[in-house]
Amino acid sequence: MLVEQLTINNFGTYQGQNVFDLSPRIKYGSTRPVILFGGLNGAGKTTFLNAVRLALYGRQGLDAPLTDKEYNGILKQLIHSSPDQLVQADRASVEIIFTYARLGEIVRYRVHRSWVAKGNHIDVSLQVFTNDAPEPSMRDDQAQALLSQLIPFGVSQFFFFDGEQIAELAKDDADEVLSDAIRRLLGLDIADRLNSDLSIFVRQKRIVSSSDDARDKLKELHRLYDTLMSEVDAAQQDMQNNLQPQLDQAISAKEQMRSKLSDRGGAWAIDRADVERSLSEVKARKQALEAQLRDLLSGVAVFSFAPRLCTEVAGSVQTESKVLESRLLVASVKEKVEGLKTKFSRIKGSSTWRPVAVRCVDEWVAEITPPPMHKSKIVHGLTGSEAEKLLDTISKGLPASATQLEHLIEAISGLTEEELRLQDKLALAPTESSIEEAFGALERAIQKVAVQEAQKQSVLAEMRRKLWQAIDVTRKKRKLEKEAQAGGVTSRAEYLAEGVQEILSEFKMRSAQRRCDDLRGHFVSAFRRLSRKSDIIADARIDAANFSMTLLDKMGQEVPKARLSAGEKQIFAIAMLEALGKTSGRSLPVIIDTPLGRLDSQHREKLVQSYFPKASHQVIVLSTDTEVDQRFYDGLRSSISHAYHLNFDPAERRTTVEEGYFWKSRE
């Protein structure tokens, strides 16, 4: 199948007629499969996908079981409404043109689905034209039957999907969504319906061929069975329409009462003693730390508040120490020199040489003694050991004390905040009398929920009892039918019908196994290609009985799906959708809406490089500018046939379309 064109007329945010050329174009000698649509959230990307689904499947394409009234209401809402038009549109249409190969012949189909609002009523028309015929070859139900045969809805979901379907499959840890998808793929519902019809046929034949007594018993058992099942259905309907809504309403009222109690402080008023105990502990810890702080400030730590003064004191002490040392040295030398001079005077005959000797000594003293220090006043007057101790305290002891002081202040500040928080909590705590009414209302709501739940359980028990009765009736029916069969009244038609049922059972089992094997191979190949950790999944097993899936690593050990990262789960879902599509054996286009929103950059790059260009012969990607951005666009460029930019004007409430991507003006 190849979609050539989609025409949207007054549909959703699209005003008037909008024609999209979707045929992949040939560039530089090769066909490029990707048609890229760019639009911000709300610009009409999902509307485009819904237009394709609605054109092909009508009511079924809306993915929900709808009554005629609901379907008509949705169609009416889908007619474009413009704020600047006096006369609003009362009709809309979608038209899709595609080619399809049937029995070796290429047939061109044009599907036109339109609807007109007439008050509360909607007239819907479906026409299918083949090979550009001027008149429709089929209309309405006949046309829909043809479309469902060409492109079964159950299969199309593996080719036309959006980010929500990917997310649903990604979080399907219990494989419920996957199992349902495989069942649709295998078409087992058709085989099940045929098997059920054959059972009804055999039952009716045996009733006719039985004796009068057996026939009467069988009729009575069938009547009883139908009555029981009718009562079960009625009870289930009553539960769905009455009991369950009442129970939900009671639960909602209970939660409202609980919330009201919480607003009044009841949610934690019960824990008041714990809060008071916590407050006492916080105060005790704070007092202990404050005592440590006072002890610390009684020592050198207090000087950490005057760091500049400490630096000046250290410099002054060092200078004074040098001055004092100089003075002591000079005094000591002079004292010794004076003694030497005295000894010179006592030597006889020294009068001739003593002046020369004294002058030499004075010159020597001048050479060895340092110049006198500045004449500043000595302030501290510390001894050498005292000065050394003070300087060591300032350089080493003071920083350690300052660090300890900072930690204590930070701890006390945190405890102060916690103390204030607990005091506020206690200050707002309600009195018992103020919450007594709320507690009473909550208790009454809980009792009402219990009563409703008891009623529900009673109905469920009655339904189970009647179901067991129906099962017992079924056993009796089968026993009578076997007795009739043993009596030789089995007709050839019954024999053939039972044979077909056995063949159907074998067919379902073998078909399921073969398709599951194909699906496993396609999935493993796709996951390895798309995942940035290609070795995380080496193989997989799919149970043909219940369609549950087990992922395996290179060692053959099970890899729980829950262990995969969020991005890997998205890749798992996309790989599974690709595998389901390939296993279906259909050659259909892929239309994917906002596929990259939950992926990191590496997984996005893998998808852009390894999925979009290879997913199908025609791939329509509906993306925002943050999904396929400039870098990813450049990486995908060689596979892009052409692109459309969807721009939504909130003032006019309509989407305009132009060819090109977001940055067309820059190209």
Side-chain angles (χ1 to χ4, degrees):
M1 175 184 176
L2 181 72
V3 178
E4 296 182 352
Q5 183 177 290
L6 178 71
T7 302
I8 300 175
N9 186 28
N10 282 333
F11 181 80
T13 59
Y14 295 89
Q15 182 181 24
Q17 181 169 288
N18 296 265
V19 180
F20 297 95
D21 174 19
L22 302 177
S23 296
R25 299 172 184 176
I26 299 175
K27 293 185 177 181
Y28 302 105
S30 63
T31 302
R32 299 189 175 188
V34 177
I35 297 94
L36 183 61
F37 282 72
L40 301 179
N41 291 332
K45 300 185 300 299
T46 302
T47 303
F48 177 92
L49 177 58
N50 289 338
V52 174
R53 289 174 170 170
L54 189 64
L56 293 175
Y57 304 107
R59 181 191 318 222
Q60 192 178 16
L62 298 176
D63 272 345
L66 301 171
T67 63
D68 289 341
K69 183 178 180 180
E70 292 170 336
Y71 180 51
N72 288 340
I74 291 176
L75 290 181
K76 190 172 183 179
Q77 290 176 357
L78 286 174
I79 299 175
H80 177 77
S81 175
S82 176
D84 57 359
Q85 286 186 336
L86 294 177
V87 179
Q88 297 294 330
D90 63 349
R91 63 195 64 207
S93 66
V94 288
E95 180 178 280
I96 187 170
I97 299 175
F98 63 91
T99 56
Y100 198 99
R102 299 189 68 191
L103 303 176
E105 179 186 359
I106 302 296
V107 181
R108 191 168 189 263
Y109 294 94
R110 178 164 65 92
V111 179
H112 184 85
R113 191 182 299 268
S114 61
W115 57 98
V116 181
K118 297 181 178 179
N120 293 327
H121 179 67
I122 299 287
D123 282 343
V124 183
S125 172
L126 172 63
Q127 298 174 309
V128 173
F129 302 81
T130 56
N131 294 327
D132 299 320
E135 294 293 330
S137 54
M138 282 162 285
R139 293 179 179 271
D140 299 328
D141 291 344
Q142 186 183 12
Q144 188 60 67
L146 171 68
L147 293 173
S148 298
Q149 179 186 5
L150 291 176
I151 317 163
F153 178 70
V155 173
S156 73
Q157 293 177 307
F158 310 139
F159 295 90
F160 311 151
F161 53 89
D162 56 20
E164 292 303 318
Q165 288 172 271
I166 296 173
E168 185 179 8
L169 189 55
K171 66 183 180 182
D172 179 35
D173 290 338
D175 289 337
E176 295 178 359
V177 177
L178 178 61
S179 298
D180 181 61
I182 297 176
R183 290 180 186 278
R184 291 199 306 268
L185 171 66
L186 298 178
L188 297 183
D189 53 338
I190 299 175
D192 290 338
R193 287 201 303 271
L194 176 57
N195 189 56
S196 176
D197 292 343
L198 288 171
S199 296
I200 295 173
F201 169 77
V202 171
R203 183 185 71 190
Q204 292 175 344
K205 290 291 292 183
R206 286 177 178 170
I207 289 176
V208 172
S209 59
S210 299
S211 62
D212 292 342
D213 184 47
R215 186 184 303 116
D216 292 340
K217 288 182 179 180
L218 278 173
K219 286 183 178 179
E220 178 61 25
L221 289 174
H222 283 304
R223 186 196 62 75
L224 179 58
Y225 176 84
D226 292 340
T227 300
L228 288 170
M229 293 308 298
S230 176
E231 291 174 352
V232 168
D233 291 340
Q236 186 174 10
Q237 192 71 19
D238 180 63
M239 179 181 295
Q240 182 178 351
N241 295 337
N242 298 312
L243 284 179
Q244 190 62 49
Q246 291 174 7
L247 176 59
D248 293 340
Q249 185 177 6
I251 293 174
S252 176
K254 181 191 72 173
E255 294 304 321
Q256 289 178 1
M257 292 299 103
R258 192 186 301 277
S259 176
K260 186 176 181 180
L261 181 62
S262 178
D263 292 341
R264 295 188 180 184
W268 52 267
I270 301 172
D271 300 328
R272 183 187 182 98
D274 293 337
V275 176
E276 291 175 341
R277 184 168 54 254
S278 299
L279 181 60
S280 298
E281 293 174 355
V282 167
K283 287 181 176 180
R285 293 202 305 271
K286 181 181 175 184
Q287 290 173 357
L289 292 179
E290 287 175 342
Q292 294 181 31
L293 180 63
R294 284 191 292 271
D295 291 341
L296 188 63
L297 289 175
S298 64
V300 298
V302 70
F303 295 107
S304 63
F305 295 109
R308 182 179 300 175
L309 177 61
C310 291
T311 303
E312 292 176 356
V313 169
S316 176
V317 169
Q318 288 175 338
T319 301
E320 287 187 6
S321 296
K322 292 179 181 179
V323 170
L324 290 174
E325 288 176 359
S326 175
R327 290 179 180 179
L328 287 174
L329 176 61
V330 171
S332 177
V333 170
K334 286 183 177 180
E335 182 182 355
K336 296 297 182 182
V337 167
E338 291 300 323
L340 180 61
K341 289 179 179 179
T342 301
K343 289 181 180 180
F344 282 167
S345 64
R346 294 173 183 171
I347 300 173
K348 292 181 179 181
S350 62
S351 58
T352 57
W353 53 267
R354 188 173 64 226
V356 176
V358 169
R359 187 172 61 252
C360 289
V361 170
D362 289 340
E363 290 176 355
W364 173 78
V365 169
E367 289 177 359
I368 67 171
T369 56
M373 301 295 287
H374 56 83
K375 303 298 183 179
S376 60
K377 182 180 179 181
I378 299 300
V379 177
H380 305 290
L382 300 177
T383 64
S385 61
E386 290 174 340
E388 184 179 351
K389 183 177 180 181
L390 177 60
L391 291 173
D392 186 68
T393 299
I394 292 175
S395 63
K396 297 179 181 179
L398 192 58
S401 297
T403 301
Q404 187 177 0
L405 180 65
E406 182 181 354
H407 290 164
L408 279 173
I409 292 174
E410 183 179 351
I412 291 172
S413 177
L415 289 173
T416 301
E417 291 180 2
E418 178 67 10
E419 181 183 9
L420 291 173
R421 187 185 68 82
L422 293 173
Q423 287 175 344
D424 290 342
K425 196 170 184 180
L426 284 177
L428 296 174
T431 62
E432 291 185 5
S433 59
S434 66
I435 59 174
E436 184 177 357
E437 180 184 351
F439 267 121
L442 177 60
E443 289 179 354
R444 290 191 295 273
I446 292 175
Q447 290 175 357
K448 187 173 182 179
V449 169
V451 171
Q452 296 287 347
E453 186 66 40
Q455 291 180 359
K456 177 182 176 181
Q457 294 302 323
S458 175
V459 172
L460 287 174
E462 183 66 15
M463 288 172 62
R464 283 194 291 269
R465 186 183 68 80
K466 291 181 178 179
L467 283 173
W468 279 112
Q469 284 184 327
I471 292 172
D472 185 59
V473 169
T474 301
R475 292 196 192 101
K476 292 178 180 178
K477 288 194 302 179
R478 289 178 178 174
K479 183 178 179 181
L480 281 175
E481 290 170 353
K482 287 183 179 179
E483 289 175 354
Q485 184 177 4
V489 295
T490 302
S491 67
R492 176 175 173 79
E494 294 174 62
Y495 175 78
L496 292 176
E498 290 176 344
V500 171
Q501 287 181 309
E502 292 178 1
I503 293 173
L504 276 176
S505 177
E506 182 71 16
F507 165 78
K508 287 169 58 179
M509 182 183 67
R510 293 191 181 186
S511 176
Q513 186 61 59
R514 182 173 61 84
R515 289 297 185 92
C516 286
D517 290 341
D518 292 342
L519 180 63
R520 180 202 64 80
H522 290 313
F523 166 76
V524 172
S525 175
F527 188 87
R528 287 178 179 174
R529 190 179 79 249
L530 299 178
S531 175
R532 59 185 175 88
K533 298 179 184 176
S534 58
D535 59 342
I536 189 172
I537 301 298
D539 205 347
R541 286 198 305 265
I542 302 178
D543 191 329
N546 57 18
F547 307 117
S548 62
M549 189 171 197
T550 304
L551 304 177
L552 304 173
D553 60 17
K554 291 190 295 186
M555 304 302 294
Q557 300 295 319
E558 181 178 350
V559 179
K561 188 178 173 186
R563 193 188 301 169
L564 300 179
S565 68
E568 288 165 348
K569 286 183 178 181
Q570 296 291 312
I571 293 297
F572 167 89
I574 294 172
M576 180 53 67
L577 286 168
E578 177 182 330
L580 288 165
K582 289 184 177 179
T583 306
S584 72
R586 302 272 180 166
S587 180
L588 300 178
V590 167
I591 305 177
I592 179 169
D593 180 18
T594 57
L596 306 179
R598 296 173 176 85
L599 296 178
D600 57 37
S601 59
Q602 290 182 323
H603 280 119
R604 288 187 182 191
E605 189 168 0
K606 275 284 189 180
L607 210 63
V608 168
Q609 293 177 351
S610 304
Y611 178 71
F612 292 155
K614 303 175 182 178
S616 180
H617 58 281
Q618 183 181 25
V619 181
I620 300 172
V621 181
L622 306 161
S623 171
T624 65
D625 59 340
T626 58
E627 291 184 298
V628 178
D629 57 16
Q630 181 76 60
R631 183 168 71 89
F632 291 133
Y633 180 86
D634 292 338
L636 191 62
R637 187 192 298 271
S638 61
S639 300
I640 296 177
S641 165
H642 55 289
Y644 288 102
H645 181 206
L646 308 178
N647 185 29
F648 179 72
D649 186 335
E652 298 183 1
R653 295 210 307 267
R654 70 187 184 98
T655 296
T656 56
V657 183
E658 60 180 353
E659 190 160 337
Y661 203 53
F662 284 98
W663 37 83
K664 176 186 176 184
S665 59
R666 295 203 299 273
E667 294 181 348

